[in-house]
Amino acid sequence: MRAKSSHNLPTDSTLLRNWRRWESGESRPDDFYAPIIAAAFDTVTAAFFPKARPNRDDELLSATGMDTLEFIGRLRMSDVSAATLDAVRITAERLCCEYPYADPHELHAEGTSWLRRITSLLDGRLTLAQHREILVLAGWVALLVGCVDYDLGRRTSAEATRRAAWSLGKEADHPEIIGWAAEMAAWFALTQGNYRGAVEAVDGALEDSRHLGVGVQLAAQRAKAWARLGDRAEVERALGKGRAILERLDHPANLDNHFVVDPQKFDFYAMDCCRVAGEDRLAETFAREVIRNSTRADGTVRNPMRVSEAHLTLAVVAVRGRDLELALAEGMRAFSGKRRSLPSLMWIAGEVAREIIERYPGDPRTRCYLEQLRALSTE
């Protein structure tokens, strides 16, 4: 250590006065005296004279140049008006309501465009509440776009969008969006014949969705998977869980929203399980109820994709009753709808084909149905 020159050394009275100030905490030794004092007590400088820890709040406010009230005030400032958020909220709801009947290409284009607009709002100044709501709205629209992607046979895009929706749900801490992302994973797995994968997708999300509408749909998808795996007890258990959740829920205000589950939608899932389980009378009853509830008083169809699957259920019941003409007529009705979910339609239509081939393998009418099915797959 380099010592101070003798002419800079303090007098005894000055050193004593400084020592008293150091002891009282009024000041602390400088870099020359601190190590000397520490050494005298057989320790190191940092242990004897620890550096003061900065006050993080003071440091943050100091760096911004704002006092506390001004800082809190800025957290409540936003570049997005309430009217803008209302418009986005209304649009997201409208898009989700148009899913059952809108042209899928047009709906996909509009949904993607709005998703870009919604996420661009995150670049502006937002309140914390607005930030979360924008994440939620983006999550709903992403779910919709993912569904339409899958309807159009775009598996890779659909999965990427589904994962994006799940991520938005996690960031916004929104269990319903997370649940619907899991439900989509189960739907994808089901239509691809991965029934165990569908069960796993549901099991990872059902517990957190037991008080939400999506919990009903998760339970229904689980029942559909177990029906194809041949476990009747698990089917009943899953349907029972779905019914129990549905009983606890308030009746939804808007039944047109694709991401709303109501008793009529649950009948649609029960129809599928009964058909697969061979309970033809119940399956037929549910199918006719689905068609009735999906048709308006003027004869127009509110939910064409549900109606298509109901006609395929009636086709299965007919072919099991040895009425091939009726089975083919019902099958053709299913193919006539303009709004289709191609993977779902091909999946159920393929199950109908197996029933027809099993009973009428060499019949020319069977070949006619199969040709229609092949034509549908290439559209």
Side-chain angles (χ1 to χ4, degrees):
M1 182 185 297
R2 182 181 297 174
K4 288 188 176 182
S5 59
S6 59
H7 66 273
N8 287 330
L9 290 175
T11 62
D12 291 346
S13 60
T14 300
L15 187 58
L16 182 60
R17 191 163 52 251
N18 286 340
W19 186 269
R20 287 172 180 162
R21 290 171 57 203
W22 297 335
E23 280 189 320
S24 68
E26 184 180 343
S27 66
R28 58 176 290 155
D30 60 20
D31 292 340
F32 175 76
Y33 286 108
I36 297 174
I37 296 170
F41 288 93
D42 199 23
T43 186
V44 295
T45 307
F48 208 72
F49 299 106
K51 292 185 177 180
R53 298 178 65 180
N55 183 310
R56 301 301 298 173
D57 293 339
D58 290 346
E59 186 180 77
L60 178 61
L61 291 171
S62 174
T64 60
M66 294 184 288
D67 62 22
T68 304
L69 289 178
E70 183 185 358
F71 184 73
I72 298 301
R74 281 189 62 85
L75 288 177
R76 293 173 178 159
M77 293 174 68
S78 172
D79 295 329
V80 178
S81 68
T84 297
L85 269 183
D86 283 341
V88 174
R89 202 177 298 118
I90 291 168
T91 300
E93 176 86 1
R94 175 180 62 79
L95 292 171
C96 292
C97 291
E98 290 180 359
Y99 172 79
Y101 60 84
D103 178 273
H105 297 280
E106 294 176 4
L107 186 60
H108 185 274
E110 188 177 6
T112 303
S113 175
W114 272 102
L115 191 55
R116 290 195 192 98
R117 292 174 192 166
I118 294 169
T119 54
S120 71
L121 295 176
L122 296 171
D123 296 331
R125 183 173 50 182
L126 302 168
T127 67
L128 295 176
Q130 286 178 334
H131 182 84
R132 182 180 185 274
E133 181 165 13
I134 288 169
L135 291 174
V136 169
L137 291 170
W140 286 123
V141 177
L143 287 171
L144 174 73
V145 171
C147 287
V148 179
D149 263 328
Y150 199 70
D151 288 343
L152 294 170
R154 303 168 180 168
R155 287 189 184 181
T156 303
S157 295
E159 176 60 15
T161 311
R162 184 198 71 81
R163 287 177 180 269
W166 180 86
S167 180
L168 288 164
K170 291 291 285 187
E171 188 173 351
D173 192 23
H174 198 282
E176 199 158 14
I177 289 175
I178 297 168
W180 277 106
E183 189 275 342
M184 286 172 64
W187 171 37
F188 296 175
L190 276 171
T191 54
Q192 294 169 36
N194 181 10
Y195 305 131
R196 292 284 179 184
V199 171
E200 289 178 10
V202 169
D203 287 350
L206 189 54
E207 179 62 24
D208 293 334
S209 304
R210 64 189 184 280
H211 302 301
L212 302 170
V214 67
V216 180
Q217 188 127 336
L218 284 165
Q221 299 289 37
R222 193 177 194 277
K224 290 168 72 172
W226 280 117
R228 286 159 177 83
L229 290 168
D231 194 324
R232 296 283 290 273
E234 285 291 350
V235 172
E236 287 303 320
R237 190 174 294 115
L239 288 176
K241 182 168 287 188
R243 288 192 192 95
I245 297 172
L246 194 56
E247 288 289 344
R248 294 194 296 267
L249 298 175
D250 294 332
H251 194 74
N254 187 358
L255 296 180
D256 293 330
N257 191 314
H258 177 62
F259 300 108
V260 166
V261 179
D262 62 281
Q264 296 174 8
K265 202 169 189 179
F266 197 74
D267 287 349
F268 171 68
Y269 290 115
M271 172 192 76
D272 178 273
C273 294
C274 289
R275 183 189 69 248
V276 174
E279 298 176 7
D280 294 344
R281 185 169 295 181
L282 261 178
E284 181 179 359
T285 300
F286 279 126
R288 298 197 183 285
E289 193 68 12
V290 167
I291 293 171
R292 187 181 68 82
N293 289 328
S294 299
T295 306
R296 299 184 182 92
D298 62 0
T300 58
V301 176
R302 182 186 298 110
N303 294 298
M305 290 180 284
R306 291 191 206 177
V307 168
S308 291
E309 291 195 29
H311 282 302
L312 290 172
T313 293
L314 293 176
V316 168
V317 173
V319 77
R320 287 173 182 168
R322 311 301 295 187
D323 190 340
L324 181 58
E325 287 296 332
L326 178 58
L328 293 175
E330 292 290 357
M332 294 309 166
R333 287 192 188 100
F335 298 161
S336 64
K338 292 183 179 179
R339 179 64 175 97
R340 300 166 178 167
S341 173
L342 194 58
S344 294
L345 187 61
M346 291 297 297
W347 175 43
I348 305 302
E351 292 183 342
V352 175
R354 286 193 290 274
E355 296 275 354
I356 294 175
I357 292 169
E358 181 182 337
R359 291 167 177 81
Y360 300 92
D363 196 298
R365 294 168 295 179
T366 299
R367 287 198 299 272
C368 180
Y369 177 85
L370 296 177
E371 286 169 6
Q372 290 284 337
L373 194 56
R374 279 191 288 270
L376 184 67
S377 69
T378 58
E379 289 185 5

Short mmCIF file of all heavy atoms in Angstrom, two decimals, residues 161-204:
data_model
loop_
_atom_site.label_atom_id
_atom_site.label_comp_id
_atom_site.label_asym_id
_atom_site.label_seq_id
_atom_site.Cartn_x
_atom_site.Cartn_y
_atom_site.Cartn_z
N THR A 161 -50.91 -22.13 -35.08
CA THR A 161 -51.82 -21.12 -34.55
C THR A 161 -52.40 -21.56 -33.21
O THR A 161 -52.59 -20.74 -32.31
CB THR A 161 -52.95 -20.84 -35.56
OG1 THR A 161 -52.38 -20.63 -36.85
CG2 THR A 161 -53.73 -19.61 -35.17
N ARG A 162 -52.69 -22.84 -33.09
CA ARG A 162 -53.18 -23.36 -31.80
C ARG A 162 -52.17 -23.13 -30.69
O ARG A 162 -52.51 -22.69 -29.59
CB ARG A 162 -53.47 -24.86 -31.93
CG ARG A 162 -54.09 -25.47 -30.68
CD ARG A 162 -53.97 -26.99 -30.67
NE ARG A 162 -52.60 -27.43 -30.47
CZ ARG A 162 -52.00 -27.50 -29.27
NH1 ARG A 162 -52.65 -27.14 -28.18
NH2 ARG A 162 -50.76 -27.92 -29.17
N ARG A 163 -50.91 -23.39 -30.99
CA ARG A 163 -49.86 -23.17 -29.99
C ARG A 163 -49.72 -21.69 -29.65
O ARG A 163 -49.47 -21.33 -28.49
CB ARG A 163 -48.52 -23.71 -30.51
CG ARG A 163 -48.44 -25.23 -30.53
CD ARG A 163 -47.12 -25.71 -31.11
NE ARG A 163 -47.03 -27.15 -31.13
CZ ARG A 163 -46.52 -27.89 -30.14
NH1 ARG A 163 -46.06 -27.29 -29.06
NH2 ARG A 163 -46.47 -29.20 -30.25
N ALA A 164 -49.88 -20.83 -30.65
CA ALA A 164 -49.82 -19.38 -30.40
C ALA A 164 -50.96 -18.97 -29.48
O ALA A 164 -50.77 -18.16 -28.55
CB ALA A 164 -49.89 -18.62 -31.71
N ALA A 165 -52.15 -19.52 -29.71
CA ALA A 165 -53.30 -19.20 -28.86
C ALA A 165 -53.04 -19.68 -27.42
O ALA A 165 -53.35 -18.97 -26.45
CB ALA A 165 -54.56 -19.85 -29.41
N TRP A 166 -52.48 -20.87 -27.31
CA TRP A 166 -52.14 -21.40 -25.97
C TRP A 166 -51.16 -20.47 -25.26
O TRP A 166 -51.32 -20.17 -24.06
CB TRP A 166 -51.54 -22.80 -26.11
CG TRP A 166 -51.15 -23.44 -24.80
CD1 TRP A 166 -51.94 -24.16 -23.97
CD2 TRP A 166 -49.85 -23.37 -24.17
NE1 TRP A 166 -51.23 -24.57 -22.87
CE2 TRP A 166 -49.95 -24.09 -22.96
CE3 TRP A 166 -48.65 -22.77 -24.52
CZ2 TRP A 166 -48.87 -24.23 -22.10
CZ3 TRP A 166 -47.57 -22.91 -23.65
CH2 TRP A 166 -47.68 -23.64 -22.46
N SER A 167 -50.17 -20.00 -25.98
CA SER A 167 -49.17 -19.10 -25.40
C SER A 167 -49.81 -17.79 -24.95
O SER A 167 -49.49 -17.27 -23.87
CB SER A 167 -48.06 -18.84 -26.43
OG SER A 167 -47.09 -17.96 -25.91
N LEU A 168 -50.71 -17.25 -25.76
CA LEU A 168 -51.41 -16.02 -25.39
C LEU A 168 -52.25 -16.25 -24.14
O LEU A 168 -52.32 -15.40 -23.24
CB LEU A 168 -52.29 -15.54 -26.54
CG LEU A 168 -51.54 -14.95 -27.75
CD1 LEU A 168 -52.47 -14.89 -28.96
CD2 LEU A 168 -51.00 -13.57 -27.43
N GLY A 169 -52.90 -17.41 -24.07
CA GLY A 169 -53.69 -17.74 -22.90
C GLY A 169 -52.85 -17.85 -21.64
O GLY A 169 -53.25 -17.39 -20.56
N LYS A 170 -51.68 -18.45 -21.77
CA LYS A 170 -50.77 -18.56 -20.62
C LYS A 170 -50.28 -17.20 -20.17
O LYS A 170 -50.24 -16.90 -18.97
CB LYS A 170 -49.57 -19.45 -20.99
CG LYS A 170 -49.91 -20.90 -21.20
CD LYS A 170 -50.30 -21.60 -19.91
CE LYS A 170 -49.09 -21.90 -19.04
NZ LYS A 170 -49.45 -22.71 -17.85
N GLU A 171 -49.91 -16.35 -21.15
CA GLU A 171 -49.39 -15.02 -20.79
C GLU A 171 -50.46 -14.18 -20.12
O GLU A 171 -50.17 -13.40 -19.21
CB GLU A 171 -48.86 -14.32 -22.04
CG GLU A 171 -48.13 -13.02 -21.73
CD GLU A 171 -47.47 -12.41 -22.94
OE1 GLU A 171 -47.43 -13.06 -24.01
OE2 GLU A 171 -47.00 -11.26 -22.82
N ALA A 172 -51.71 -14.33 -20.58
CA ALA A 172 -52.81 -13.56 -20.01
C ALA A 172 -53.42 -14.24 -18.78
O ALA A 172 -54.32 -13.68 -18.15
CB ALA A 172 -53.90 -13.36 -21.05
N ASP A 173 -52.92 -15.43 -18.44
CA ASP A 173 -53.45 -16.21 -17.32
C ASP A 173 -54.95 -16.41 -17.50
O ASP A 173 -55.75 -16.13 -16.61
CB ASP A 173 -53.15 -15.52 -15.98
CG ASP A 173 -53.41 -16.44 -14.79
OD1 ASP A 173 -53.40 -17.67 -14.98
OD2 ASP A 173 -53.64 -15.93 -13.68
N HIS A 174 -55.32 -16.92 -18.69
CA HIS A 174 -56.74 -17.08 -19.05
C HIS A 174 -57.03 -18.57 -19.25
O HIS A 174 -56.78 -19.13 -20.32
CB HIS A 174 -57.02 -16.30 -20.34
CG HIS A 174 -58.48 -16.05 -20.58
ND1 HIS A 174 -59.33 -17.02 -21.06
CD2 HIS A 174 -59.24 -14.94 -20.39
CE1 HIS A 174 -60.54 -16.51 -21.18
NE2 HIS A 174 -60.52 -15.26 -20.78
N PRO A 175 -57.57 -19.25 -18.23
CA PRO A 175 -57.73 -20.71 -18.30
C PRO A 175 -58.66 -21.18 -19.42
O PRO A 175 -58.50 -22.29 -19.92
CB PRO A 175 -58.28 -21.08 -16.92
CG PRO A 175 -58.83 -19.80 -16.36
CD PRO A 175 -57.99 -18.71 -16.93
N GLU A 176 -59.62 -20.34 -19.83
CA GLU A 176 -60.55 -20.79 -20.87
C GLU A 176 -59.86 -20.88 -22.23
O GLU A 176 -60.07 -21.84 -22.98
CB GLU A 176 -61.75 -19.85 -20.94
CG GLU A 176 -62.93 -20.48 -21.63
CD GLU A 176 -64.25 -19.85 -21.26
OE1 GLU A 176 -64.24 -18.74 -20.68
OE2 GLU A 176 -65.28 -20.45 -21.58
N ILE A 177 -59.02 -19.89 -22.55
CA ILE A 177 -58.28 -19.95 -23.80
C ILE A 177 -57.31 -21.13 -23.78
O ILE A 177 -57.18 -21.87 -24.77
CB ILE A 177 -57.54 -18.63 -24.06
CG1 ILE A 177 -58.56 -17.53 -24.41
CG2 ILE A 177 -56.52 -18.77 -25.20
CD1 ILE A 177 -57.97 -16.16 -24.57
N ILE A 178 -56.65 -21.34 -22.65
CA ILE A 178 -55.75 -22.49 -22.52
C ILE A 178 -56.53 -23.79 -22.72
O ILE A 178 -56.07 -24.71 -23.41
CB ILE A 178 -55.07 -22.48 -21.13
CG1 ILE A 178 -54.19 -21.23 -20.98
CG2 ILE A 178 -54.25 -23.74 -20.91
CD1 ILE A 178 -53.71 -20.99 -19.57
N GLY A 179 -57.73 -23.86 -22.13
CA GLY A 179 -58.56 -25.05 -22.26
C GLY A 179 -58.99 -25.31 -23.70
O GLY A 179 -58.96 -26.46 -24.16
N TRP A 180 -59.36 -24.25 -24.42
CA TRP A 180 -59.77 -24.43 -25.82
C TRP A 180 -58.59 -24.84 -26.70
O TRP A 180 -58.76 -25.60 -27.66
CB TRP A 180 -60.43 -23.16 -26.35
CG TRP A 180 -61.87 -23.07 -25.97
CD1 TRP A 180 -62.44 -22.26 -25.03
CD2 TRP A 180 -62.95 -23.85 -26.50
NE1 TRP A 180 -63.79 -22.47 -24.95
CE2 TRP A 180 -64.14 -23.45 -25.84
CE3 TRP A 180 -63.02 -24.85 -27.47
CZ2 TRP A 180 -65.37 -24.02 -26.12
CZ3 TRP A 180 -64.27 -25.42 -27.76
CH2 TRP A 180 -65.42 -24.99 -27.09
N ALA A 181 -57.40 -24.35 -26.37
CA ALA A 181 -56.21 -24.79 -27.13
C ALA A 181 -55.98 -26.28 -26.92
O ALA A 181 -55.62 -27.00 -27.86
CB ALA A 181 -54.99 -23.99 -26.69
N ALA A 182 -56.23 -26.77 -25.71
CA ALA A 182 -56.11 -28.21 -25.44
C ALA A 182 -57.22 -28.98 -26.15
O ALA A 182 -56.99 -30.08 -26.68
CB ALA A 182 -56.17 -28.47 -23.93
N GLU A 183 -58.43 -28.41 -26.17
CA GLU A 183 -59.55 -29.06 -26.86
C GLU A 183 -59.26 -29.20 -28.35
O GLU A 183 -59.58 -30.23 -28.97
CB GLU A 183 -60.83 -28.24 -26.64
CG GLU A 183 -62.10 -28.93 -27.11
CD GLU A 183 -62.38 -28.72 -28.60
OE1 GLU A 183 -61.80 -27.79 -29.20
OE2 GLU A 183 -63.17 -29.51 -29.16
N MET A 184 -58.64 -28.18 -28.94
CA MET A 184 -58.26 -28.27 -30.35
C MET A 184 -57.24 -29.37 -30.58
O MET A 184 -57.31 -30.11 -31.57
CB MET A 184 -57.72 -26.92 -30.82
CG MET A 184 -58.80 -25.86 -31.02
SD MET A 184 -58.12 -24.22 -31.36
CE MET A 184 -57.30 -24.51 -32.94
N ALA A 185 -56.30 -29.51 -29.65
CA ALA A 185 -55.31 -30.59 -29.77
C ALA A 185 -56.00 -31.95 -29.75
O ALA A 185 -55.63 -32.86 -30.50
CB ALA A 185 -54.28 -30.49 -28.64
N ALA A 186 -57.02 -32.09 -28.88
CA ALA A 186 -57.76 -33.35 -28.82
C ALA A 186 -58.53 -33.58 -30.13
O ALA A 186 -58.58 -34.71 -30.64
CB ALA A 186 -58.74 -33.31 -27.64
N TRP A 187 -59.13 -32.53 -30.66
CA TRP A 187 -59.87 -32.63 -31.93
C TRP A 187 -58.94 -33.05 -33.07
O TRP A 187 -59.26 -33.95 -33.84
CB TRP A 187 -60.53 -31.28 -32.21
CG TRP A 187 -61.15 -31.12 -33.57
CD1 TRP A 187 -61.81 -32.07 -34.29
CD2 TRP A 187 -61.15 -29.93 -34.36
NE1 TRP A 187 -62.24 -31.53 -35.49
CE2 TRP A 187 -61.85 -30.22 -35.55
CE3 TRP A 187 -60.64 -28.64 -34.18
CZ2 TRP A 187 -62.05 -29.28 -36.56
CZ3 TRP A 187 -60.85 -27.70 -35.16
CH2 TRP A 187 -61.53 -28.02 -36.34
N PHE A 188 -57.77 -32.41 -33.13
CA PHE A 188 -56.80 -32.77 -34.17
C PHE A 188 -56.43 -34.25 -34.06
O PHE A 188 -56.40 -34.98 -35.06
CB PHE A 188 -55.53 -31.93 -34.05
CG PHE A 188 -55.72 -30.44 -34.28
CD1 PHE A 188 -54.66 -29.57 -34.08
CD2 PHE A 188 -56.94 -29.91 -34.68
CE1 PHE A 188 -54.80 -28.22 -34.28
CE2 PHE A 188 -57.10 -28.55 -34.88
CZ PHE A 188 -56.03 -27.70 -34.70
N ALA A 189 -56.16 -34.68 -32.83
CA ALA A 189 -55.75 -36.07 -32.62
C ALA A 189 -56.87 -37.05 -33.00
O ALA A 189 -56.62 -38.08 -33.64
CB ALA A 189 -55.33 -36.27 -31.16
N LEU A 190 -58.09 -36.73 -32.62
CA LEU A 190 -59.23 -37.60 -32.92
C LEU A 190 -59.38 -37.81 -34.43
O LEU A 190 -59.50 -38.95 -34.90
CB LEU A 190 -60.52 -36.99 -32.37
CG LEU A 190 -60.86 -37.24 -30.91
CD1 LEU A 190 -62.05 -36.37 -30.49
CD2 LEU A 190 -61.19 -38.71 -30.67
N THR A 191 -59.39 -36.73 -35.18
CA THR A 191 -59.64 -36.84 -36.62
C THR A 191 -58.48 -37.48 -37.36
O THR A 191 -58.62 -37.87 -38.52
CB THR A 191 -59.93 -35.45 -37.22
OG1 THR A 191 -58.87 -34.55 -36.89
CG2 THR A 191 -61.24 -34.89 -36.69
N GLN A 192 -57.33 -37.59 -36.68
CA GLN A 192 -56.19 -38.27 -37.28
C GLN A 192 -56.05 -39.71 -36.77
O GLN A 192 -55.07 -40.40 -37.06
CB GLN A 192 -54.91 -37.48 -37.00
CG GLN A 192 -54.89 -36.12 -37.69
CD GLN A 192 -53.77 -35.22 -37.21
OE1 GLN A 192 -52.66 -35.69 -36.91
NE2 GLN A 192 -54.02 -33.92 -37.12
N GLY A 193 -57.04 -40.16 -36.00
CA GLY A 193 -57.04 -41.54 -35.50
C GLY A 193 -56.14 -41.78 -34.31
O GLY A 193 -55.92 -42.93 -33.92
N ASN A 194 -55.64 -40.70 -33.69
CA ASN A 194 -54.76 -40.83 -32.54
C ASN A 194 -55.60 -40.69 -31.26
O ASN A 194 -55.60 -39.66 -30.61
CB ASN A 194 -53.67 -39.76 -32.59
CG ASN A 194 -52.70 -39.85 -31.43
OD1 ASN A 194 -52.70 -40.83 -30.67
ND2 ASN A 194 -51.86 -38.83 -31.28
N TYR A 195 -56.32 -41.74 -30.91
CA TYR A 195 -57.29 -41.66 -29.83
C TYR A 195 -56.62 -41.55 -28.45
O TYR A 195 -57.11 -40.83 -27.58
CB TYR A 195 -58.24 -42.85 -29.88
CG TYR A 195 -58.91 -42.97 -31.24
CD1 TYR A 195 -58.94 -44.18 -31.93
CD2 TYR A 195 -59.47 -41.85 -31.85
CE1 TYR A 195 -59.53 -44.27 -33.19
CE2 TYR A 195 -60.06 -41.93 -33.10
CZ TYR A 195 -60.08 -43.15 -33.77
OH TYR A 195 -60.65 -43.23 -35.01
N ARG A 196 -55.52 -42.24 -28.26
CA ARG A 196 -54.79 -42.11 -26.99
C ARG A 196 -54.24 -40.69 -26.84
O ARG A 196 -54.25 -40.11 -25.75
CB ARG A 196 -53.64 -43.12 -26.95
CG ARG A 196 -54.07 -44.56 -26.87
CD ARG A 196 -54.56 -44.94 -25.49
NE ARG A 196 -54.99 -46.33 -25.45
CZ ARG A 196 -55.53 -46.89 -24.38
NH1 ARG A 196 -55.71 -46.18 -23.27
NH2 ARG A 196 -55.93 -48.16 -24.41
N GLY A 197 -53.78 -40.12 -27.95
CA GLY A 197 -53.28 -38.75 -27.91
C GLY A 197 -54.38 -37.77 -27.55
O GLY A 197 -54.14 -36.79 -26.83
N ALA A 198 -55.60 -38.04 -28.02
CA ALA A 198 -56.74 -37.18 -27.69
C ALA A 198 -57.03 -37.23 -26.19
O ALA A 198 -57.28 -36.20 -25.55
CB ALA A 198 -57.97 -37.60 -28.48
N VAL A 199 -56.99 -38.44 -25.63
CA VAL A 199 -57.24 -38.59 -24.19
C VAL A 199 -56.18 -37.83 -23.39
O VAL A 199 -56.48 -37.13 -22.42
CB VAL A 199 -57.25 -40.08 -23.79
CG1 VAL A 199 -57.27 -40.23 -22.27
CG2 VAL A 199 -58.45 -40.78 -24.41
N GLU A 200 -54.93 -37.95 -23.80
CA GLU A 200 -53.84 -37.26 -23.09
C GLU A 200 -53.99 -35.74 -23.18
O GLU A 200 -53.74 -35.02 -22.21
CB GLU A 200 -52.49 -37.69 -23.66
CG GLU A 200 -52.10 -39.12 -23.31
CD GLU A 200 -50.78 -39.53 -23.93
OE1 GLU A 200 -50.08 -38.65 -24.47
OE2 GLU A 200 -50.45 -40.73 -23.87
N ALA A 201 -54.39 -35.24 -24.34
CA ALA A 201 -54.58 -33.79 -24.50
C ALA A 201 -55.66 -33.28 -23.56
O ALA A 201 -55.52 -32.21 -22.96
CB ALA A 201 -54.94 -33.46 -25.95
N VAL A 202 -56.73 -34.06 -23.41
CA VAL A 202 -57.82 -33.67 -22.52
C VAL A 202 -57.40 -33.76 -21.06
O VAL A 202 -57.65 -32.86 -20.26
CB VAL A 202 -59.06 -34.55 -22.77
CG1 VAL A 202 -60.10 -34.33 -21.68
CG2 VAL A 202 -59.65 -34.24 -24.14
N ASP A 203 -56.76 -34.87 -20.70
CA ASP A 203 -56.39 -35.09 -19.30
C ASP A 203 -55.47 -34.00 -18.76
O ASP A 203 -55.47 -33.72 -17.56
CB ASP A 203 -55.74 -36.47 -19.14
CG ASP A 203 -56.75 -37.60 -19.25
OD1 ASP A 203 -57.96 -37.30 -19.27
OD2 ASP A 203 -56.33 -38.77 -19.34
N GLY A 204 -54.69 -33.39 -19.64
CA GLY A 204 -53.79 -32.33 -19.18
C GLY A 204 -54.49 -31.02 -18.89
O GLY A 204 -53.89 -30.11 -18.30
#
